[in-house]
Amino acid sequence: MPVQNDAPGLDQSGKTHNHWTRRSLLKKGGLWGLFSLLFGGASAVAATAVTEDSGILSDAIGAFFQNHYNRMTKDEVQEALARIERRAKRTYDVDIEVSNDPPQPGVVYGYALNISKCKGYRKCVDGCIEENNQGRDPQIAYIRVLELDAGSLELNRSDHYYDSETVPQPGKIYLPIQCMQCDNPPCVKACPVDATWKEPDGIVVTDYDWCIGSRACMTACPYSARQFNWTEPKIPAGELNPHTHLLGNRPREKGVVEKCTYCIQRARKNRQPACVEACPTGARIFGNLLDPKSEIRYILENKNVFRLKEDLGCEPKFWYYTD
Amino acid sequence: MEYPILPNKSQDPRPPGAQCTSSRRRAVMLMAFGAVALLAIGTALYRAQAAEGESPASAGEKAQAWDQIETVGEEDEWVETVYDDGKWIIIGERGIGIPWYDVEPYQIPIRKWEDIPMYPCSDCHDKWPVNHEQRPMVEEHTDLVVDHGDGHFWCTGCHDGRGLDFLVSKDGRFIDMDLSYIQCGECHFEELKDWEYGSHGLRIGLWRGTRVLRNCVECHNAHSPAIAPIEPNAPPKIRGNLVRFSKPAVEHSEHSKVWERVAPKNN
Amino acid sequence: MKSFGSFCRDCLKLVFRGGRSYWIWNGGLLFMAIAGLGGYTHQLIEGLAVTHMSDQVNWGLYISNFIFMGGVSAASLVLVVAAFLYRQPEAAQSVTLGLGIAIAAAVMCGLFITVDLGRPDRLWHIVPFLGELSFPYSMLAWDAVVLNTYIPFTLGLAIYILFLKYNNREPATRGALFVLGNAAILFAISMLTVEAFLLSGHVARPLWNTAVLVPRFVVAAFAASSAIIILVLRLLDRFTERKEKSAEIGILVGVLKVAVLINLFLIAVEFFTHFYHPTDHSASAIYLYFGLDGRTMLVPWTWTSLAFGVIAVIILFNPRLRGRRAWLNLACVLTVMEIWIEKSMGLLIPGFIPTPLGEIFEYLPSPIEILVSLGVLAIGMLIFTLIAKIAIHIELGHTRYSAPDSN
């Protein structure tokens, strides 16, 4: 894979590699333009187009042979990042930045959700979609908010599609469900090609370039937390979030399974997940389970918490509590 | 334990120096660190200072706040977008109001100069005498609805005629407008405790480092704190060719409540 | 080894020589296969969105058929090889046909799982050492390994037996064949078990997460495959020179009637467990048998399949009916349909309904899924036809090794 991003003088913007194709081509195009003044003809356009195509081809070849995330060398990871950036540029004409922040030492993420505060607004659902670059049509949402009758937590009587004039409705409670980043994740066991695994900071991630789309993980998940790209995800270019992570919200392709990563692109930069920030009620608490002074630890130690389907032994790192 | 509540009601609340004792202490600290801190403040602080104008002590607070925030964040741009510059106040090493022995330090945004409409109140109320009589508002504050405390509350229960730029505690001490949660906690002490420990309310900014919390009144209107129901966002969308497989939810209510099912048998 | 070259040549000749009906049959199958390929191309371009699978029901007709074919493949192999090794050496004549069914079904198995993949271009990720096979935790990885060993092994076994016969040597039930045959049986049973584990290992799906699923799988597979073999033998009896033997049919009917009965018994056992004191975990079973919240898409299918099973048992346990050709055929057809409904779609789909989050989202295959499945079926039948053509000709002695210059 030729990576020409270190060509001098190309990156006026000070940004990284993702510009190289277009920029260098434009420069070449400019030189060709001088020639074309003398010789006429559309050779410049043709030359540009040909080189552009070969970029697509070499990217396709590179993507095809891309190795498993955990087996790639540092250089190969950089190439993979650059490829994704170039593809986003081609597809959406947006400069995105794909990072590969490693897990932070001494951190295991945990989540707590106060169901007496959740009012069913579904702000978290849309906040998540804006952050994580899910396909809009068909719509993929990592969070499901369930409406239940007060007095029971039986999921089989839940309403996923409640659409009342206002929420909260009297006599109802609301239970948002998303990936719980299980400590003993059945989805990881199910994957035939190790495309999904648990990171040292507890986040269950998917290598979207390795997934073969068998959907065994979706069958295995007791929380329906995984979604499949049934077709090429469509995102309006203006809505693409350019701050991405290789294992997180980078643009995905058709035919792969995707999931919530507690906003790995944010969490590893110390930011709170988008659902936490989107929630106006303060029902959502995110933090480091290994930090005894963290809010999440206070809740786990001082509130009456429960976990959904704890009996299945998946050890979810997502707790519900009430005031 | 130092309380940033004015020590006694006889003191004139107006002069800026009397804002709170801990900020005076910090002013002394600031002088000790002097030039170093001033250099570190930078342009953002300058803007903040300009906005706040008359309170040099809180400029020092902001310097410290910025310092802490910047050690937490990796990318300056995010810090900028998340934190409106110069709006933080440091509350101190401990929670304020009720001395929970192990509350982690936290910060809250300053609201009083920009976000509280018509502040400072003394601009007008200096000129008019305080009328303690409970009555409908016809000239000013006509939009104010007090739906708090089951009709037992009246303005002067929280705002004191002796110094309307401040709130007043149940034992008659003055509370800075930005520390209003202290007054909330006088009744809602369970909520205050939850809020200080982080199980109630919103944490803004980063999950790591100094906690920055939304003040009570940023979510709850102090005058009618109940939050009205709103329209929910759209339900999950189903792929076009699958709509017929998902029928509208069935009403479960009549089956789900066990007390309704057993009721007829007992009658 | 010289004779092996001529064996290969003769096989090819057999494949490419045949009467009009042979070509019409093969042409029809090829047409179906190409139509299926067209459907698959459409699916490749548009993505799996052209199917009716959803995030709620994420496996559908393809995996259902994969499960069914896996069972048929393994059980037919066990049936014929065990019958050959342990019961009646004269049944050896049907061994290669049984192996043909096993191979064809296993190929279909592989194809069904391939068409179900979202990214078939990344299939190399599942190749051991080259890719990253998640061994030993993933049941699907086990399946891939077992299937990819099983197909060449079975094919090799079939070729070996045919080659012996081609050289006018009766395959012995001792020695190499004994070892190979038993190894094949072991493989087949592993495949059956692993396929059952593929479903029963899911804590998220209470309908499957039960140990009785494995014996149900095995029994149903034996019922379906013995019925299929009987029907195939009958069809060959009708359309080719090969005539059925009462001994081989007798063995198969013996297996069939027991398997169908035990299958019904195991269903009844599960039924009791689900309905004596229904829990949340019975929701899928309630949906399957009676419908849930007024959604009853699978209910008619379920009861039809149970009725078929009961009728088949009545026929098979009545010596007078069983003895008549038409009635036995009917029993076999009913059994195959029963198992296909109840042990593939009827087992897989309700596992997803309601979803782990209690949503009821139904599923029926889309036209594309049916088209692609028919295409895969056609490919499997084509493979079996070719193997059967060779096997029958060699077994009947029409094609045997002779002096190199004679043919």
Side-chain angles (χ1 to χ4, degrees):
Chain A
M1 270 303 300
V3 176
Q4 304 172 18
N5 56 0
D6 48 358
L10 293 180
D11 287 340
Q12 296 99 330
S13 68
K15 289 217 174 165
T16 43
H17 26 256
N18 50 340
H19 298 270
W20 70 270
T21 336
R22 214 156 268 261
R23 286 272 162 78
S24 54
L25 288 171
L26 283 176
K27 281 221 154 181
K28 276 180 205 160
L31 284 175
W32 275 102
L34 281 174
F35 274 93
S36 65
L37 274 180
L38 295 172
F39 298 104
S43 55
V45 184
T48 314
V50 166
T51 332
E52 182 93 338
D53 278 349
S54 73
I56 295 172
L57 185 65
S58 70
D59 270 5
I61 294 169
F64 181 81
F65 289 108
Q66 183 174 322
N67 213 334
H68 187 275
Y69 178 83
N70 289 329
R71 302 197 306 202
M72 278 194 282
T73 64
K74 270 189 176 168
D75 289 343
E76 284 170 341
V77 170
Q78 289 308 317
E79 279 174 29
L81 300 179
R83 258 198 305 272
I84 296 166
E85 285 167 352
R86 287 197 294 272
R87 199 182 62 224
K89 182 75 181 164
R90 278 198 296 267
T91 318
Y92 302 102
D93 198 26
V94 175
D95 291 316
I96 69 165
E97 159 220 354
V98 189
S99 70
N100 184 30
D101 294 325
Q104 303 183 10
V107 174
V108 169
Y109 296 110
Y111 212 119
L113 199 151
N114 187 345
I115 48 172
S116 42
K117 286 280 173 291
C118 178
K119 303 297 178 196
Y121 299 152
R122 291 205 187 96
K123 301 277 183 208
C124 49
V125 179
D126 289 349
C128 171
I129 290 169
E130 279 165 32
E131 169 72 23
N132 283 302
N133 292 329
Q134 287 104 321
R136 306 295 202 268
D137 181 33
Q139 175 81 74
I140 290 179
Y142 295 163
I143 306 176
R144 270 281 160 112
V145 185
L146 274 52
E147 189 183 67
L148 295 154
D149 287 322
S152 165
L153 274 181
E154 193 186 324
L155 301 183
N156 283 348
R157 291 183 180 147
S158 63
D159 183 359
H160 296 228
Y161 299 93
Y162 66 88
D163 197 17
S164 38
E165 291 278 296
T166 58
V167 285
Q169 285 287 307
K172 302 283 186 187
I173 61 166
Y174 297 88
L175 186 74
I177 296 174
Q178 64 201 77
C179 175
M180 316 231 159
Q181 320 293 349
C182 300
D183 208 48
N184 181 20
C187 54
V188 168
K189 268 190 201 161
C191 178
V193 292
D194 263 342
T196 181
W197 65 91
K198 191 180 70 184
E199 285 277 284
D201 53 6
I203 301 179
V204 177
V205 295
T206 310
D207 184 348
Y208 297 123
D209 298 318
W210 192 258
C211 171
I212 60 170
S214 76
R215 307 190 295 294
C217 54
M218 297 172 74
T219 311
C221 177
Y223 305 100
S224 292
R226 286 171 167 270
Q227 281 81 26
F228 186 70
N229 284 288
W230 297 97
T231 184
E232 197 66 50
K234 296 178 196 72
I235 310 169
E239 292 178 21
L240 198 73
N241 174 10
H243 305 289
T244 67
H245 192 284
L246 181 56
L247 300 173
N249 60 343
R250 41 66 62 93
R252 272 85 61 189
E253 287 171 71
K254 167 178 77 180
V256 300
V257 175
E258 61 180 79
K259 71 183 286 293
C260 157
T261 59
Y262 281 173
C263 284
I264 195 169
Q265 67 280 1
R266 288 166 156 255
R268 288 191 177 171
K269 284 189 159 55
N270 297 329
R271 299 178 71 203
Q272 302 190 87
C275 47
V276 177
E277 288 187 359
C279 177
T281 69
R284 293 172 166 267
I285 311 290
F286 177 77
N288 180 5
L289 289 175
L290 302 186
D291 175 7
K293 292 175 172 175
S294 63
E295 292 156 332
I296 179 112
R297 280 283 291 274
Y298 173 79
I299 288 161
L300 299 187
E301 285 157 22
N302 294 280
K303 294 285 174 182
N304 293 333
V305 299
F306 70 92
R307 292 187 284 182
L308 215 55
K309 307 194 183 196
E310 201 170 13
D311 53 326
L312 300 185
C314 302
E315 295 284 339
K317 294 196 285 292
F318 194 107
W319 287 264
Y320 295 90
Y321 69 103
T322 53
D323 278 339
Chain B
M1 170 53 66
E2 285 180 292
Y3 289 69
I5 299 178
L6 289 184
N8 59 65
K9 51 182 103 171
S10 64
Q11 199 174 342
D12 181 9
R14 302 288 193 56
Q19 249 195 344
C20 64
T21 49
S22 68
S23 59
R24 270 211 297 278
R25 181 177 58 106
R26 254 180 245 112
V28 173
M29 272 170 56
L30 185 73
M31 282 160 67
F33 290 105
V36 183
L38 276 172
L39 279 174
I41 287 167
T43 46
L45 175 62
Y46 175 77
R47 279 169 59 206
Q49 204 166 358
E52 197 151 340
E54 53 202 1
S55 167
S58 58
E61 289 162 6
K62 270 175 263 165
Q64 205 171 335
W66 270 112
D67 197 37
Q68 290 195 6
I69 288 164
E70 281 178 349
T71 56
V72 175
E74 280 189 13
E75 305 236 352
D76 290 352
E77 50 182 304
W78 286 355
V79 173
E80 273 170 18
T81 54
V82 175
Y83 305 100
D84 291 343
D85 52 342
K87 299 195 81 177
W88 311 114
I89 185 166
I90 293 180
I91 298 305
E93 294 169 1
R94 294 265 163 117
I96 307 300
I98 304 164
W100 306 115
Y101 57 94
D102 58 350
V103 161
E104 286 296 296
Y106 56 87
Q107 304 166 355
I108 54 166
I110 291 178
R111 298 178 70 246
K112 63 183 170 221
W113 300 104
E114 289 171 18
D115 296 339
I116 302 179
M118 292 186 268
Y119 188 87
C121 315
S122 51
D123 281 357
C124 302
H125 283 278
D126 266 3
K127 303 174 186 104
W128 294 316
V130 172
N131 181 353
H132 288 268
E133 188 197 335
Q134 202 159 331
R135 63 193 187 282
M137 292 275 139
V138 285
E139 286 170 42
E140 285 297 330
H141 298 311
T142 46
D143 55 337
L144 254 180
V145 179
V146 179
D147 185 10
H148 192 178
D150 283 341
H152 299 298
F153 286 6
W154 178 242
C155 308
T156 49
C158 302
H159 305 278
D160 194 299
R162 288 163 299 148
L164 278 165
D165 288 346
F166 293 83
L167 299 165
V168 66
S169 73
K170 291 286 160 246
D171 59 0
R173 292 182 295 166
F174 288 104
I175 303 172
D176 189 288
M177 274 291 187
D178 275 329
L179 306 180
S180 53
Y181 62 87
I182 296 166
Q183 190 178 44
C184 305
E186 288 188 315
C187 300
H188 305 282
F189 41 86
E190 284 290 344
E191 283 80 359
L192 178 65
K193 181 184 171 190
D194 278 350
W195 178 77
E196 293 203 296
Y197 277 110
S199 71
H200 179 129
L202 281 164
R203 176 177 183 156
I204 43 184
L206 311 179
W207 62 261
R208 165 173 272 190
T210 310
R211 299 156 59 206
V212 185
L213 305 180
R214 285 246 181 263
N215 208 335
C216 314
V217 290
E218 289 186 81
C219 303
H220 304 275
N221 181 341
H223 301 120
S224 51
I227 292 170
I230 59 168
E231 192 188 347
N233 286 12
K237 294 188 191 72
I238 297 165
R239 205 169 79 221
N241 58 347
L242 299 179
V243 174
R244 68 192 171 102
F245 295 114
S246 173
K247 293 175 198 160
V250 179
E251 191 61 55
H252 300 289
S253 319
E254 64 269 29
H255 310 296
S256 64
K257 295 192 176 92
V258 75
W259 58 91
E260 288 171 3
R261 260 183 291 153
V262 296
K265 290 180 197 161
N266 290 347
N267 286 340
Chain C
M1 251 5 302
K2 252 190 287 176
S3 59
F4 191 72
S6 114
F7 171 71
C8 294
R9 273 197 304 280
D10 280 351
C11 285
L12 280 178
K13 269 184 213 160
L14 281 174
V15 165
F16 285 106
R17 272 181 208 163
R20 213 172 101 199
S21 54
Y22 175 73
W23 285 113
I24 289 174
W25 170 250
N26 277 355
L29 290 179
L30 207 60
F31 177 77
M32 256 168 77
I34 289 169
L37 194 67
Y40 183 59
T41 314
H42 179 60
Q43 179 190 306
L44 266 186
I45 294 166
E46 296 294 319
L48 285 161
V50 298
T51 70
H52 282 166
M53 288 185 275
S54 55
D55 285 335
Q56 287 82 5
V57 184
N58 55 62
W59 282 344
L61 186 63
Y62 297 151
I63 298 289
S64 300
N65 286 334
F66 158 78
I67 287 165
F68 181 76
M69 288 304 168
V72 168
S73 170
S76 19
L77 183 136
V78 174
L79 268 177
V80 292
V81 174
F84 165 60
L85 288 184
Y86 297 112
R87 290 293 292 275
Q88 296 191 326
E90 67 265 34
Q93 289 188 325
S94 65
V95 163
T96 43
L97 288 176
L99 289 179
I101 293 177
I103 294 162
V107 169
M108 283 192 261
C109 220
L111 286 176
F112 272 121
I113 205 150
T114 310
V115 296
D116 185 66
L117 289 183
R119 298 299 301 240
D121 56 317
R122 295 181 181 165
L123 206 55
W124 68 272
H125 293 177
I126 210 164
V127 179
F129 306 110
L130 183 63
E132 177 88 24
L133 197 65
S134 176
F135 218 62
Y137 291 111
S138 169
M139 284 300 118
L140 214 50
W142 272 87
D143 231 26
V145 169
V146 173
L147 200 61
N148 282 315
T149 331
Y150 174 85
I151 294 176
F153 191 87
T154 316
L155 192 61
L157 192 64
I159 291 172
Y160 179 65
I161 293 174
L162 282 177
F163 184 56
L164 285 180
K165 291 191 174 178
Y166 181 71
N167 282 312
N168 293 312
R169 283 161 58 194
E170 251 337 276
T173 56
R174 299 186 176 282
L177 209 53
F178 184 80
V179 175
L180 288 178
N182 280 312
I185 289 176
L186 206 66
F187 258 131
I189 294 289
S190 322
M191 193 168 90
L192 255 178
T193 315
V194 163
E195 265 182 22
F197 285 170
L198 178 68
L199 296 190
S200 73
H202 284 121
V203 292
R205 314 280 170 186
L207 183 71
W208 307 336
N209 193 17
T210 158
V212 82
L213 193 78
V214 184
R216 269 187 76 186
F217 240 74
V218 174
V219 169
F222 276 96
S225 59
S226 49
I228 286 177
I229 296 176
I230 292 174
L231 288 174
V232 166
L233 291 180
R234 291 256 150 113
L235 284 172
L236 293 176
D237 181 67
R238 174 113 186 241
F239 291 107
T240 71
E241 299 166 48
R242 187 188 193 283
K243 295 302 155 207
E244 68 180 49
K245 294 171 193 64
S246 60
E248 57 193 24
I249 299 282
I251 293 177
L252 291 167
V253 170
V255 172
L256 175 64
K257 66 179 187 187
V258 176
V260 173
L261 187 66
I262 297 180
N263 185 42
L264 283 183
F265 172 69
L266 290 179
I267 291 173
V269 166
E270 280 222 288
F271 196 89
F272 172 82
T273 318
H274 281 308
F275 290 100
Y276 180 68
H277 188 112
T279 67
D280 254 14
H281 291 184
S282 318
S284 293
I286 295 172
Y287 173 74
L288 176 64
Y289 290 107
F290 303 110
L292 203 57
D293 283 347
R295 320 224 190 147
T296 53
M297 206 177 259
L298 286 185
V299 173
W301 291 87
T302 314
W303 290 104
T304 309
S305 102
L306 284 182
F308 284 0
V310 171
I311 296 171
V313 165
I314 291 170
I315 295 173
L316 289 170
F317 276 87
N318 185 329
R320 265 196 308 184
L321 288 180
R322 185 175 70 208
R324 295 197 193 155
R325 201 178 161 85
W327 281 100
L328 183 60
N329 289 350
L330 177 68
C332 289
V333 170
L334 290 180
T335 305
V336 173
M337 286 171 72
E338 187 231 330
I339 305 294
W340 185 79
I341 294 172
E342 169 254 313
K343 203 54 89 265
S344 65
M345 291 276 277
L347 179 67
L348 193 84
I349 304 307
F352 295 101
I353 304 170
T355 68
L357 302 189
E359 184 186 357
I360 300 175
F361 200 97
E362 299 191 289
Y363 168 83
L364 268 188
S366 75
I368 292 286
E369 279 173 278
I370 294 170
L371 186 66
V372 173
S373 298
L374 286 176
V376 171
L377 189 68
I379 292 173
M381 285 160 78
L382 196 59
I383 290 172
F384 174 73
T385 309
L386 303 185
I387 293 176
K389 178 108 195 299
I390 296 166
I392 289 169
H393 274 259
I394 290 179
E395 271 173 15
L396 294 181
H398 297 332
T399 308
R400 287 287 160 99
Y401 182 63
S402 50
D405 51 356
S406 73
N407 213 347

